Amino acid sequence: MQLSSPDVFYPDINLTRIAFGSCHSRGAVNKRIQSKASSATNDDASAPISTVWDVISSTLQPQTFLWTGDAIYPPMSVKGDTPLHVMLNEYDQMLQNNTLGYARFLQNDLIGGVHGTWDDHDYGGNDRGSELKDREARRDAYLNFLGVLKENKRYQRRGVYSSVEFGDDVHSMQYDSTNTQGRSNNKVKVIFLDTRWHREKHCIPSVGSNLYIPFGAIISCVTRWLTAGLNLPSWRVCPTDSQVLGDEQWIWLEKQLKDSTASMHIVVSSIQILTTNPVVESLGHFPKERERFLRLLNDVNGLVLLSGDVHHAEISVSSHEQRDGGVFVNDGSLVEVTSSGLTHSCDGPKLYGPLCRPILNKFPGHRFKGGNIADTNAQSYFESRNFGSIGIDWSSRSFEVKIHNESGDVVLATGLLGMDESSRMSDGELDEIRGSIDGHFLPLIKGVVPYCIVVLLIMFIFYFARKRSNEAKSHDKQE
């Protein structure tokens, strides 16, 4: 198999309806079921409980579903890295436990199958990267969950990165073949990245999976914020060229994109790419890797990025300036849509919930303007449970990505994205894309430090003046 070839190919599918999502916790589902049962009347108690999978089916009737990470979570009783037998049980529960709804969902007419990549929790440890043990066995368990046949070469791959293609190079699908890219096909290429297997440690290594440190996940959020706010990489206290994808995945990715003839490209990363929020894990915490990635994507036509992980949904763009006369949002800008999570979200936890909105409001620089359905002047994020969809219109060579709440209502939307458009940014424009590591604490520190020095100097003078006074009094008493 050539590096540019897809791992899965559906030439006969004219893809128009895609669903995607991340962060599914069996514990969160059971907790909600128990809560509903305790407050239900006798009539309600006998009624079947609807799940997010039922809503996705009835709302979208998708042809395929894309996992953007964290298909399972370990039970709350598990501390540190998740043992393999626990993960296998969670996968079995997803595939066999009808209460969760996923097993019923798989029985629908998903002619394009289910595909995906993992994030830290279905990888096996919060915030984990290349240091995690038993990666091969964990990879095999995940691929089996996706239904990948045992003889498939993906079981020998270092990571779960993969690609899927829908459609072919023959069908014109009712559009003007004189388009600027010269493409006359109905082909969609979906690329799944693995941001865990090869990823090196953060500047300040995460303690999210440390058995002996309470609130490790929260502490890791703080250390990432400190790294970004103080711009520690610029102090050379940590490497600036740490890897996320690894050399072999980079070679594969470059071939997948450069040799592609698809009209539309979907690149799935479990962690966010364009965010300026330093609290969360993102490619922004690995600046060289992010810069290389953005330059690779710059000329890819019909592109949208999908991500998960962060327990909220949002739409991000690399540029807020639309090209003159531009109709499509991706004309001159990269677009990323994050959907997280299917069963739980950042507005839920008692400890983190009250901080969710203030943190999101603190870092709006990357966020698309006008995507909030309820209020186009409001920021394009959504804090509650959600899933995503992509609707494709081949007649106009356009598509739109939407975020739905747990009832199926649309809460965020990108607007139209064009298949013949790309970001096409200059080197200067690429350099100006904001990242999460920006040293935003430094101006505050520079402003505060002089006052701190003055206060310390006054305290120093007061201390020695008092010391001299006490010495003088002691000397007088002796005389």
Side-chain angles (χ1 to χ4, degrees):
M1 179 182 291
Q2 296 180 349
L3 287 176
S4 59
S5 300
D7 293 291
V8 187
F9 186 29
Y10 299 91
D12 298 325
I13 293 180
N14 178 33
L15 194 62
T16 58
R17 301 182 310 280
I18 303 172
F20 65 94
S22 68
C23 303
H24 189 282
S25 166
R26 180 168 66 96
V29 174
N30 290 337
K31 187 176 180 180
R32 295 187 68 200
I33 290 174
Q34 292 170 4
S35 176
K36 287 183 178 180
S38 63
S39 60
T41 64
N42 291 334
D43 292 337
D44 293 335
S46 60
I49 297 176
S50 177
T51 69
V52 65
W53 302 108
D54 299 314
V55 177
I56 292 174
S57 295
S58 61
T59 303
L60 304 177
Q61 298 179 329
Q63 296 163 291
T64 186
F65 182 82
L66 312 180
W67 279 107
T68 59
D70 290 335
I72 61 169
Y73 283 73
M76 292 294 291
S77 58
V78 174
K79 306 299 180 185
D81 296 336
T82 307
L84 182 60
H85 73 274
V86 174
M87 298 184 66
L88 290 171
N89 179 63
E90 291 300 321
Y91 286 133
D92 287 342
Q93 290 288 334
M94 282 290 287
L95 295 172
Q96 299 174 17
N97 187 341
N98 281 324
T99 304
L100 300 178
Y102 186 65
R104 290 197 304 276
F105 177 73
L106 294 180
Q107 295 171 5
N108 293 330
D109 190 20
L110 286 166
I111 57 175
V114 174
H115 311 277
T117 189
W118 58 16
D119 197 36
D120 51 351
H121 294 289
D122 42 5
Y123 180 53
N126 189 34
D127 295 353
R128 284 298 198 184
S130 61
E131 74 279 3
L132 184 66
K133 296 179 180 178
D134 303 320
R135 289 180 295 170
E136 291 79 7
R138 297 173 188 277
R139 171 202 60 205
D140 295 352
Y142 184 76
L143 294 179
N144 182 67
F145 166 70
L146 290 180
V148 179
L149 298 178
K150 295 294 184 183
E151 59 270 20
N152 195 292
K153 291 184 178 180
R154 290 168 65 186
Y155 283 93
Q156 280 74 53
R157 189 172 289 170
R158 287 165 51 82
V160 299
Y161 57 90
S162 65
S163 67
V164 185
E165 287 186 2
F166 302 87
D168 59 34
D169 289 316
V170 178
H171 295 87
S172 62
M173 302 316 299
Q174 303 175 1
Y175 73 92
D176 182 3
S177 60
T178 62
N179 67 81
T180 56
Q181 296 294 332
R183 290 179 169 84
S184 56
N185 62 54
N186 68 329
K187 187 183 288 187
V188 178
K189 189 179 191 74
V190 185
I191 295 175
F192 295 94
L193 304 179
D194 185 331
T195 63
R196 294 294 166 181
W197 186 286
H198 297 278
R199 199 216 71 199
E200 296 175 334
K201 292 184 177 181
H202 289 89
C203 182
I204 302 176
S206 171
V207 296
S209 285
N210 194 298
L211 277 169
Y212 309 104
I213 299 179
F215 306 110
I218 296 175
I219 293 173
S220 297
C221 289
V222 173
T223 57
R224 285 192 290 269
W225 196 347
L226 286 173
T227 298
L230 296 175
N231 196 0
L232 292 184
S234 69
W235 297 15
R236 299 189 179 183
V237 297
C238 57
T240 59
D241 57 352
S242 296
Q243 293 193 73
V244 176
L245 301 186
D247 292 339
E248 60 194 75
Q249 187 174 182
W250 268 115
I251 294 171
W252 170 86
L253 176 61
E254 289 168 350
K255 289 292 291 182
Q256 287 284 321
L257 288 172
K258 291 181 179 179
D259 293 350
S260 174
T261 59
S263 291
M264 177 178 167
H265 297 86
I266 302 170
V267 176
V268 180
S269 167
S270 63
I271 58 174
Q272 291 185 302
I273 306 297
L274 299 177
T275 184
T276 57
N277 183 352
V279 176
V280 300
E281 284 196 280
S282 72
L283 200 61
H285 285 282
F286 301 85
K288 293 293 185 182
E289 197 90 341
R290 182 178 185 260
E291 179 184 355
R292 180 180 179 182
F293 188 63
L294 296 180
R295 291 184 182 279
L296 177 62
L297 298 179
N298 191 33
D299 293 320
V300 177
N301 66 287
L303 173 68
V304 67
L305 302 170
L306 303 183
S307 55
D309 178 54
V310 292
H311 300 179
H312 68 270
E314 66 180 329
I315 303 173
S316 307
V317 290
S318 61
S319 173
H320 296 288
E321 301 298 328
Q322 198 166 19
R323 297 197 191 282
D324 293 339
V327 175
F328 300 108
V329 176
N330 61 333
D331 182 7
S333 178
L334 295 169
V335 180
E336 176 183 353
V337 181
T338 302
S339 175
S340 173
L342 289 163
T343 60
H344 54 292
S345 54
C346 72
D347 65 348
K350 293 181 180 179
L351 186 61
Y352 176 58
L355 297 176
C356 178
R357 177 168 291 190
I359 290 175
L360 294 178
N361 289 338
K362 175 68 177 176
F363 302 103
H366 60 281
R367 213 162 283 132
F368 177 55
K369 298 175 182 177
N372 193 310
I373 299 300
D375 182 359
T376 55
N377 293 318
Q379 293 193 40
S380 297
Y381 69 77
F382 183 68
E383 303 160 79
S384 298
R385 292 179 289 272
N386 62 85
F387 60 89
S389 71
I390 304 177
I392 304 172
D393 182 358
W394 290 103
S395 63
S396 64
R397 290 189 59 76
S398 66
F399 59 100
E400 186 172 20
V401 189
K402 299 176 181 178
I403 295 295
H404 306 252
N405 63 19
E406 60 182 337
S407 299
D409 301 321
V410 178
V411 292
L412 302 176
T414 59
L416 291 180
L417 307 177
M419 294 182 189
D420 302 316
E421 310 304 329
S422 65
S423 57
R424 306 189 313 278
M425 291 176 282
S426 66
D427 288 342
E429 289 172 325
L430 285 166
D431 291 339
E432 290 176 0
I433 298 176
R434 294 181 59 185
S436 53
I437 297 181
D438 59 3
H440 54 271
F441 287 159
L442 296 178
L444 175 64
I445 292 173
K446 290 177 181 178
V448 170
V449 165
Y451 295 101
C452 292
I453 293 175
V454 171
V455 171
L456 289 173
L457 183 60
I458 292 172
M459 292 174 64
F460 183 79
I461 294 171
F462 178 79
Y463 169 78
F464 278 98
R466 187 170 183 178
K467 183 178 180 182
R468 291 287 299 272
S469 176
N470 290 338
E471 288 175 351
K473 290 179 181 178
S474 176
H475 180 71
D476 290 344
K477 288 181 179 180
Q478 290 176 1
E479 291 181 349

